[in-house]
């Protein structure tokens, strides 16, 4: 049954309104979304979790993307049909944000968060079936893209995530299946890691949303 109030989210005994329903359209309120993300973040990651002021701009971009606010996304140069590549320094909060933002849009198809290194470990164990497993219609967010080891199965090396990104690109073209990812690497480092062909596909597959390179490590 279709959720007629996806902007009202229940956590325990409390309801969080992320906006208002007006003439069959949800008008989201960013401050309400932030309040919910703070609460959900504490539930998921512990009481020390908090959204800091310097991250408001990047979270604003991501929230507009996930709620598919076309006017704001156009202004922010974000294509709502592409996935998100969230980049930034180690510990700036990329993974936590991508885990959190799924909960703001319970009416949308969810994506699974998968560490890239785990995919390579799977390839090393069972081989090319691992790559095939990520070539279907599921939505994924590949976490820590670019720092995973090279895959090796029966003595043959394989750039596993590079191959998977090519498969995901084909899925995107054929069926508009989205892929998301987080990475610590910049564009040049990604090209060095995966080659020009994959990097070119990534430009079409992802919106790049980047933390400031001076963003501090929130895990300290």
């Amino acid at each position: 049954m279709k959720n007629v109030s996806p902007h009202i989210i229940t956590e325990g005994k409390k309801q969080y309104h992320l906006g208002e329903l007006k003439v069959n359209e949800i008008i989201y309120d960013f401050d309400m979304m932030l309040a919910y993300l703070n609460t959900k973040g504490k539930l998921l990651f512990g009481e020390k979790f908090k959204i800091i002021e310097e991250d408001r701009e990047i979270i604003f971009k991501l929230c507009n993307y996930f709620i598919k606010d076309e006017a704001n996304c156009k202004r922010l140069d974000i294509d709502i049909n592409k996935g998100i590549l969230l980049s930034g320094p180690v510990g700036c909060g990329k993974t936590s944000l991508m885990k959190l933002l799924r909960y703001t849009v319970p009416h949308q198809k969810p994506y699974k968060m998968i560490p890239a290194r785990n995919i390579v470990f799977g390839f090393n164990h069972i081989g090319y079936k691992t790559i095939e497993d990520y070539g279907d219609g599921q939505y994924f967010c590949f976490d820590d893209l670019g720092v995973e080891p090279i895959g090796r199965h029966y003595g043959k090396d394989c750039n596993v995530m590079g191959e998977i990104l090519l498969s995901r690109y084909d899925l995107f073209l054929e069926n508009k299946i989205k892929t998301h990812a987080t990475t610590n690497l910049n564009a040049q480092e990604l090209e060095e890691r995966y080659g020009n062909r994959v990097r070119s596909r990534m430009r079409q597959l992802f919106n790049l949303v980047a933390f400031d390179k001076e963003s501090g490590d929130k895990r300290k």
Side-chain angles (χ1 to χ4, degrees), residues 7 17-30 32-33 67 69:
H7 62 299
H17 290 242
L18 307 189
E20 297 180 50
L21 190 61
K22 293 184 178 178
V23 196
N24 296 323
E25 182 183 9
I26 299 169
I27 308 299
Y28 283 91
D29 182 294
F30 181 54
M32 290 179 174
M33 294 186 78
I67 64 175
D69 185 319

Side-chain angles (χ1 to χ4, degrees), residues 50-208:
K50 66 176 180 178
I51 289 172
I52 60 175
E53 183 63 29
E54 68 186 51
D55 291 344
R56 276 182 70 100
E57 184 179 341
I58 208 160
I59 295 171
F60 182 74
K61 286 183 181 179
L62 292 168
C63 283
N64 277 284
Y65 168 82
F66 279 100
I67 64 175
K68 298 183 178 179
D69 185 319
E70 293 188 21
N72 268 334
C73 282
K74 186 175 182 180
R75 183 172 60 82
L76 295 164
D77 197 24
I78 292 173
D79 185 339
I80 60 174
N81 297 305
K82 294 182 180 182
I84 290 289
L85 176 61
L86 186 57
S87 73
V90 172
C92 68
K94 303 180 297 295
T95 301
S96 297
L97 274 181
M98 291 305 288
K99 285 180 177 177
L100 259 180
L101 284 158
R102 295 177 292 187
Y103 295 98
T104 62
V105 283
H107 54 299
Q108 293 183 23
K109 184 174 179 178
Y111 51 86
K112 296 180 180 177
M113 295 283 297
I114 311 284
R117 67 180 183 279
N118 290 9
I119 298 173
V120 175
F121 296 154
F123 173 86
N124 294 346
H125 182 60
I126 63 174
Y128 286 87
K129 183 182 181 301
T130 301
I131 294 174
E132 293 171 12
D133 288 345
Y134 291 94
D136 62 15
Q138 294 187 73
Y139 285 22
F140 294 105
C141 179
F142 300 126
D143 196 25
D144 272 344
L145 184 68
V147 295
E148 74 281 353
I150 288 290
R152 191 170 180 82
H153 186 68
Y154 283 107
K156 289 187 176 181
D157 288 349
C158 178
N159 192 328
V160 177
M161 292 309 302
E163 293 298 323
I164 287 174
L165 288 170
L166 290 174
S167 295
R168 300 297 297 181
Y169 172 75
D170 290 339
L171 275 174
F172 172 67
L173 287 187
E174 293 164 12
N175 301 309
K176 301 301 179 189
I177 301 296
K178 289 182 182 177
T179 302
H180 306 301
T182 71
T183 186
N184 303 332
L185 305 187
N186 61 33
Q188 184 179 343
E189 291 167 331
L190 286 168
E191 187 163 327
E192 289 170 2
R193 182 72 175 79
Y194 296 115
N196 179 261
R197 180 172 173 237
V198 174
R199 176 65 186 135
S200 174
R201 302 295 190 277
M202 288 175 74
R203 289 189 188 97
Q204 294 171 270
L205 195 57
F206 297 119
N207 293 286
L208 176 61

